[in-house]
Amino acid sequence: MSFLEQLREWQASHAILFGADTAPYCLDQRRRYQGQTLAVARPNSTEQVQQLVRLCAEHQIAIVPQGGNTSLCGAATPLNDGQSLIISLERMNQIIQVDADNNTITVQTGVTLAQVQQAALNVKRLFPANWAAAQSCQIGGALATNAGGVNVLRYGNMRELTLGLEVVLADGEVWNGLRGLRKDNTGYDLKQLFVGSEGTLGLITQAVLRLYPLPTAHATALVAVDHPAAAVELLRGLQAEVGDRVTSFELISAPCLDLLHLHFPRLAQPFQPTPAWCVLIELSDGGDSAALTDRLAEYLFAHGCMDAYVAQNLSEAAAFWQLRESIPEAQRIDGVSIKHDISLPIGAIPDFLEMCDAEMLSAFPGAKIVAFGHLGDGNLHYNLFLADKTAGVYEQEQAVNELVYRHVASHNGSISAEHGIGQLKRETLQQVRSELELTLMRQIKRSLDPQGLFNPGKVL
Amino acid sequence: MSFLEQLREWQASHAILFGADTAPYCLDQRRRYQGQTLAVARPNSTEQVQQLVRLCAEHQIAIVPQGGNTSLCGAATPLNDGQSLIISLERMNQIIQVDADNNTITVQTGVTLAQVQQAALNVKRLFPANWAAAQSCQIGGALATNAGGVNVLRYGNMRELTLGLEVVLADGEVWNGLRGLRKDNTGYDLKQLFVGSEGTLGLITQAVLRLYPLPTAHATALVAVDHPAAAVELLRGLQAEVGDRVTSFELISAPCLDLLHLHFPRLAQPFQPTPAWCVLIELSDGGDSAALTDRLAEYLFAHGCMDAYVAQNLSEAAAFWQLRESIPEAQRIDGVSIKHDISLPIGAIPDFLEMCDAEMLSAFPGAKIVAFGHLGDGNLHYNLFLADKTAGVYEQEQAVNELVYRHVASHNGSISAEHGIGQLKRETLQQVRSELELTLMRQIKRSLDPQGLFNPGKVL
């Protein structure tokens, strides 16, 4: 039986889509990558995934694993050759087990991040991963890209939140590594290979994730700072005082606030006038919010943060967060920008900004630099608006990237903090990682996926 | 030039020992493994390590990387064939950089754990890894075994504390992955391969490790509990109240306290009579100890922990910890026991203990079960004294292990939580991991070390 004949036979059982029905799965959310596919298979069990992978292996058909398709780097979108099969995990959306004693949750990887958060909440636990796409992104994609978000400072990336995986390998074998253990030193830690590999080494079908005690107290503040160096100092001082209660520490520059003024005038901004920089701070803890809020306010007052606004209730806190979370949308409305998701040693951020900004404004006069991000993790979203705000600006992308990544390299940073490589940064990866590192990665790829079936054209 | 001729030429520069001088490096600390070696090389730089590895690769001589030689599984001791070269990192003991803004420390891997702790303390930061061998174990060994200890509950294992590595590979190439970044999603996370690989994939020469805010407040308590299930309940209740201030949560059984009474009668024990179980709790935080201590005392009182002793000062706290830390030595004085370092889903621990104890006492009447460990991590040290307290008892080891590991398997646990595999559990590993997992591990080994030079006879 041919590959397509077999797919047609499985059409009902494996919920397979053909032709025009595949279109939504072939376009990435930033609308930069429009691919083509032979079909979209939507298995509802690990066994069905296994059958599909075996079929692909037999016919040497490439596989594009797909979750919520929210990648910012085109990692989940097929190439343009139309020769691959998308395997969407969207029907594998069951919470398998929540173990409050062990603080773990076991899920099929087609569940959304929001589903996992809710299931944890139902037993008074926290699943701390959180970012804008929580309602639509799936855990499989979050694992495959080692996603980050706003709580990494306190709880780590998806890698640190993962205890066990079930993975369908390139030959269709299923590796069952669904252990819910905090400590397990029995040979090589295989799950680490698959987390962050962007679907190029295997297809993650189930996962055991860590849960945490549910914080009952929150304190939120927006604080103006003169300079990013003052933000770093405030972060370290606050941590010395309250330790890991500092859950989020987000840096926001004046151009972000200006964009919000322009495109979301109804979102109230407390500052008058707009400061050069501000930070959004969130503390969380057991106990009650009033005491924690007082403590944050006292700390800010005692340390001379005069232009500081401490949320007095949940709706004020939500409003502060809405400002932060509306930045990407305000950018989108404003036009096409050239984006960078970089990380740096935290102490190097002030110097990086000073040097990179200066060269950028000199090389691209009139450029608007929209910088914001997770300062506590050393993660900056460093985005550029040039005069051309259409897709035409991408003609400048290479020159802009070369400039930014040169400063990233000289400050020992990374060109991709949390978004991954996908298609977008695949060529850049070849330039920023050493030949030895690329060789090691290729060896691992060859060892686990000798036919190169999984997600070709991504990462390597 | 022959291999040995070259070593003799390097004798002074690479501080190479031959003959009887190698003896201390050939015996493991538990005195179970007595190996032999061609020589012990003690390079003082990555370049010298590289020269040695290249020489070994050229002559196909096996390499045993060695740190403080404190492995509990014989992972750092050479085999008996006398055909390998020990490379000791003891002269590579420099702290390279402490970056308080970035909360990182960069070290050569021959530094001791205590040196790293002290260097962090000097800039008011915490390096949280801690265990009994802190003064003598080296960071390279800690990384190679993904070591754990008493603070894992709060801060994670060595894997979670590692941001970057420099590794000499099997062909003598040096991989420089010394990045100090919290977020870096640029291809496969190569460092994860080497952490926990017990020196079988490469030789770690430098590392960038995470530092944390230094807690200024501590509260310590010894609390009697009726049953391990009550201990689990206390842990989760306390975490709901104070979150990650719960830094350690150690379970101790009555036979441990009896052994301490017998062999360390001068160590005061607060309980009268000895309870069936107790837990040692440590909270840490910013602020001052008095308030934290009050909060712990109030919590214990409010939750009906009547036989509870909260340390009122540092020396009482130290005395409680001394009890916990003297258990291994009390065991050693008592005689030879059969030890297990296991982990379980935390909620499964009470049931495991009930079932395994019952079968053990039935199969080995009169056996004394000495169970203690890091309950918060699901990590138990489950040790057996039989009538024979000499090395003769090892004749029973296989039968005892079979029984224990069967219950570990049926409770989805691990046969090695934090000590690793080494020589001790190499054969057992073949039984407890699936054929698929072993095949994947062998593929990785072959891919990175095709000649099998690094630490043969360990792990795989």
Side-chain angles (χ1 to χ4, degrees):
Chain A
M1 207 183 306
S2 81
F3 179 77
L4 282 172
E5 280 167 355
Q6 180 66 72
L7 283 193
R8 291 207 185 274
E9 193 169 303
W10 285 343
Q11 183 161 5
S13 59
H14 294 59
I16 299 177
L17 306 172
F18 297 94
D21 291 340
T22 68
Y25 299 83
C26 292
L27 179 66
D28 79 307
Q29 76 157 20
R30 290 178 68 190
R31 299 175 172 268
R32 284 196 71 167
Y33 296 98
Q34 169 77 67
Q36 288 186 289
T37 188
L38 292 166
V40 178
R42 298 175 297 158
N44 66 5
S45 67
T46 300
E47 291 66 35
Q48 288 196 351
V49 174
Q50 186 173 30
Q51 288 166 349
L52 289 160
V53 171
R54 283 204 170 125
L55 182 69
C56 288
E58 191 185 322
H59 294 274
Q60 297 187 36
I61 301 290
I63 295 162
V64 180
Q66 191 174 95
N69 197 16
T70 60
S71 168
L72 296 168
C73 300
T77 320
L79 301 182
N80 228 328
D81 59 14
Q83 294 306 305
S84 58
L85 175 72
I86 293 176
I87 299 184
S88 164
L89 279 285
E90 67 190 29
R91 294 205 304 153
M92 290 182 62
N93 57 1
Q94 300 301 307
I95 306 280
I96 307 290
Q97 191 204 18
V98 185
D99 181 341
D101 273 341
N102 197 39
N103 270 355
T104 49
I105 183 168
T106 306
V107 300
Q108 290 185 318
T109 48
V111 296
T112 62
L113 173 54
Q115 273 181 278
V116 179
Q117 292 170 339
Q118 185 59 50
L121 214 53
N122 293 346
V123 296
K124 294 195 180 156
R125 294 289 186 274
L126 175 73
F127 182 66
N130 198 23
W131 52 84
Q135 298 291 334
S136 54
C137 74
Q138 293 172 18
I139 286 298
L143 288 164
T145 57
N146 184 28
V150 293
N151 293 332
V152 171
L153 174 61
R154 163 64 191 82
Y155 296 100
N157 297 288
M158 282 299 293
R159 186 183 299 282
E160 284 80 39
L161 301 177
T162 304
L163 294 177
L165 297 179
E166 178 189 78
V167 181
V168 179
L169 303 172
D171 57 2
E173 290 285 299
V174 178
W175 170 53
N176 181 341
L178 285 174
R179 299 180 187 87
L181 303 171
R182 260 81 185 161
K183 286 181 171 177
D184 182 18
N185 282 338
T186 50
Y188 308 152
D189 191 0
L190 298 170
K191 67 177 176 288
Q192 304 296 346
L193 285 169
F194 302 103
V195 176
S197 69
E198 302 189 27
T200 63
L201 298 179
L203 205 155
I204 306 173
T205 44
Q206 288 191 57
V208 185
L209 306 170
R210 280 176 191 261
L211 302 180
Y212 284 83
L214 186 66
T216 49
H218 297 271
T220 310
L222 265 180
V223 185
V225 291
D226 294 339
H227 191 274
V232 174
E233 197 186 321
L234 178 58
L235 169 65
R236 294 309 177 211
L238 193 57
Q239 283 185 323
E241 180 83 8
V242 302
D244 263 348
R245 292 183 198 79
V246 187
T247 311
S248 303
F249 199 95
E250 302 283 308
L251 183 70
I252 300 170
S253 63
C256 301
L257 298 174
D258 291 342
L259 278 181
L260 292 170
H261 265 306
L262 188 63
H263 299 295
F264 295 110
R266 288 188 184 170
L267 293 184
Q269 294 191 24
F271 302 112
Q272 202 56 263
T274 297
W277 297 90
C278 70
V279 291
L280 173 61
I281 302 170
E282 170 108 2
L283 309 188
S284 64
D285 199 358
D288 73 291
S289 293
L292 192 63
T293 298
D294 286 351
R295 192 160 173 194
L296 178 57
E298 279 162 26
Y299 182 89
L300 294 171
F301 183 77
H303 289 78
C305 300
M306 302 318 288
D307 200 6
Y309 301 84
V310 179
Q312 294 304 312
N313 51 50
L314 283 179
S315 77
E316 277 187 30
F320 290 174
W321 272 105
Q322 202 182 352
L323 285 171
R324 164 66 183 86
E325 285 169 355
S326 301
I327 297 171
E329 183 62 9
Q331 286 182 117
R332 204 192 56 74
I333 295 169
D334 206 61
V336 178
S337 61
I338 299 173
K339 295 186 162 71
H340 307 93
D341 165 46
I342 59 179
S343 67
L344 298 151
I346 295 164
I349 286 178
D351 191 60
F352 166 84
L353 286 168
E354 194 169 314
M355 293 177 67
C356 194
D357 283 10
E359 191 178 337
M360 186 65 70
L361 295 174
S362 150
F364 299 91
K368 184 162 70 182
I369 300 169
V370 179
F372 62 100
H374 318 296
L375 183 75
D377 316 319
N379 183 184
L380 283 185
H381 300 304
Y382 189 83
N383 302 334
L384 279 298
F385 281 97
L386 302 183
D388 180 357
K389 292 187 179 181
T390 73
V393 74
Y394 288 138
E395 285 173 27
Q396 316 265 21
E397 188 170 34
Q398 205 179 338
V400 169
N401 288 355
E402 186 280 323
L403 195 160
V404 172
Y405 294 153
R406 188 157 34 76
H407 286 280
V408 167
S410 71
H411 288 85
N412 298 312
S414 165
I415 64 157
S416 182
E418 59 179 10
H419 295 171
I421 299 299
Q423 302 180 58
L424 182 65
K425 297 183 183 173
R426 187 183 168 216
E427 284 180 26
T428 313
L429 186 72
Q430 306 290 315
Q431 293 150 28
V432 299
R433 300 294 292 254
S434 68
E435 193 47 46
L436 178 62
E437 289 178 312
L438 295 167
T439 301
L440 287 169
M441 290 185 206
R442 285 187 209 108
Q443 278 177 11
I444 292 165
K445 171 72 175 173
R446 207 157 41 230
S447 171
L448 285 170
D449 180 17
Q451 291 197 89
L453 293 181
F454 277 122
N455 220 4
K458 319 292 167 62
V459 188
L460 291 176
Chain B
M1 207 181 307
S2 80
F3 179 76
L4 282 172
E5 281 166 354
Q6 181 65 72
L7 283 193
R8 291 207 184 273
E9 192 171 302
W10 285 343
Q11 184 162 6
S13 59
H14 294 58
I16 299 177
L17 304 173
F18 296 95
D21 291 340
T22 68
Y25 299 82
C26 292
L27 179 66
D28 80 305
Q29 76 157 19
R30 290 179 68 190
R31 299 175 172 267
R32 284 195 73 168
Y33 296 99
Q34 169 78 65
Q36 287 186 289
T37 189
L38 292 167
V40 178
R42 298 175 298 158
N44 65 6
S45 68
T46 300
E47 291 67 34
Q48 288 196 349
V49 173
Q50 188 174 29
Q51 288 166 348
L52 289 160
V53 171
R54 283 204 170 127
L55 182 69
C56 288
E58 190 184 323
H59 294 273
Q60 298 187 37
I61 301 290
I63 296 162
V64 180
Q66 190 174 95
N69 197 15
T70 60
S71 168
L72 295 168
C73 300
T77 319
L79 300 182
N80 229 327
D81 58 15
Q83 295 305 305
S84 58
L85 175 72
I86 293 176
I87 298 184
S88 164
L89 278 286
E90 66 189 31
R91 293 204 307 151
M92 291 183 60
N93 57 2
Q94 300 301 307
I95 307 280
I96 307 288
Q97 192 204 17
V98 186
D99 182 340
D101 273 341
N102 197 38
N103 271 355
T104 49
I105 183 168
T106 307
V107 300
Q108 290 185 317
T109 48
V111 295
T112 63
L113 173 54
Q115 272 180 278
V116 179
Q117 292 170 339
Q118 185 59 51
L121 212 55
N122 292 346
V123 296
K124 293 194 180 154
R125 294 290 185 273
L126 175 74
F127 182 66
N130 198 24
W131 51 83
Q135 298 292 332
S136 53
C137 74
Q138 293 171 19
I139 287 298
L143 288 164
T145 57
N146 185 28
V150 292
N151 293 332
V152 171
L153 174 61
R154 163 66 191 82
Y155 296 99
N157 297 287
M158 282 300 293
R159 185 182 299 282
E160 284 80 39
L161 300 176
T162 304
L163 293 177
L165 296 179
E166 176 190 79
V167 181
V168 179
L169 303 172
D171 57 2
E173 289 286 299
V174 177
W175 170 53
N176 182 339
L178 285 174
R179 299 180 188 86
L181 304 171
R182 261 79 186 161
K183 287 181 170 176
D184 181 19
N185 281 340
T186 51
Y188 308 152
D189 192 359
L190 298 171
K191 66 176 177 290
Q192 305 295 346
L193 285 168
F194 301 103
V195 177
S197 68
E198 302 190 27
T200 63
L201 298 178
L203 204 154
I204 306 172
T205 45
Q206 289 192 56
V208 185
L209 306 170
R210 280 176 192 262
L211 301 180
Y212 284 83
L214 185 66
T216 48
H218 296 271
T220 312
L222 265 180
V223 184
V225 292
D226 293 339
H227 192 274
V232 174
E233 197 186 323
L234 179 57
L235 169 66
R236 293 310 177 212
L238 195 56
Q239 283 185 323
E241 179 82 9
V242 301
D244 263 348
R245 292 185 196 78
V246 186
T247 311
S248 303
F249 200 95
E250 302 282 309
L251 183 69
I252 300 170
S253 64
C256 300
L257 298 175
D258 292 341
L259 277 182
L260 291 170
H261 265 306
L262 189 62
H263 299 295
F264 295 109
R266 289 187 184 171
L267 293 185
Q269 293 191 25
F271 301 113
Q272 201 58 261
T274 297
W277 297 89
C278 70
V279 290
L280 173 62
I281 302 171
E282 170 108 2
L283 309 187
S284 63
D285 199 358
D288 73 291
S289 292
L292 193 62
T293 299
D294 286 351
R295 193 160 172 194
L296 178 56
E298 279 161 26
Y299 183 89
L300 294 171
F301 183 77
H303 290 79
C305 300
M306 303 318 288
D307 200 6
Y309 300 84
V310 179
Q312 294 305 311
N313 50 50
L314 284 179
S315 76
E316 277 187 30
F320 290 173
W321 272 105
Q322 201 182 354
L323 286 170
R324 165 65 183 86
E325 286 169 355
S326 301
I327 297 170
E329 182 63 8
Q331 285 181 117
R332 203 192 55 74
I333 295 169
D334 207 60
V336 177
S337 62
I338 299 174
K339 296 185 161 71
H340 307 93
D341 165 46
I342 59 178
S343 68
L344 298 152
I346 295 165
I349 286 178
D351 191 59
F352 166 84
L353 285 168
E354 195 170 313
M355 293 177 67
C356 193
D357 283 9
E359 192 178 337
M360 187 65 69
L361 295 173
S362 150
F364 299 90
K368 184 163 68 182
I369 300 170
V370 179
F372 63 101
H374 318 297
L375 182 75
D377 316 318
N379 182 185
L380 283 185
H381 300 304
Y382 188 82
N383 303 334
L384 279 298
F385 282 97
L386 302 183
D388 181 356
K389 293 186 179 180
T390 72
V393 75
Y394 289 138
E395 284 174 28
Q396 315 265 21
E397 189 170 33
Q398 205 179 339
V400 170
N401 288 355
E402 186 281 321
L403 194 160
V404 173
Y405 293 152
R406 187 157 35 75
H407 286 280
V408 168
S410 71
H411 288 84
N412 298 313
S414 165
I415 62 156
S416 181
E418 59 179 11
H419 295 172
I421 299 299
Q423 303 179 57
L424 183 66
K425 297 183 183 173
R426 188 182 169 217
E427 284 181 26
T428 312
L429 186 73
Q430 306 290 316
Q431 294 150 26
V432 298
R433 301 294 292 255
S434 69
E435 193 47 45
L436 178 62
E437 290 180 310
L438 294 167
T439 301
L440 287 169
M441 290 186 206
R442 285 188 208 108
Q443 277 177 13
I444 292 164
K445 170 73 175 174
R446 207 156 42 230
S447 172
L448 285 170
D449 180 17
Q451 291 198 89
L453 292 182
F454 277 122
N455 221 4
K458 319 293 167 60
V459 187
L460 292 176

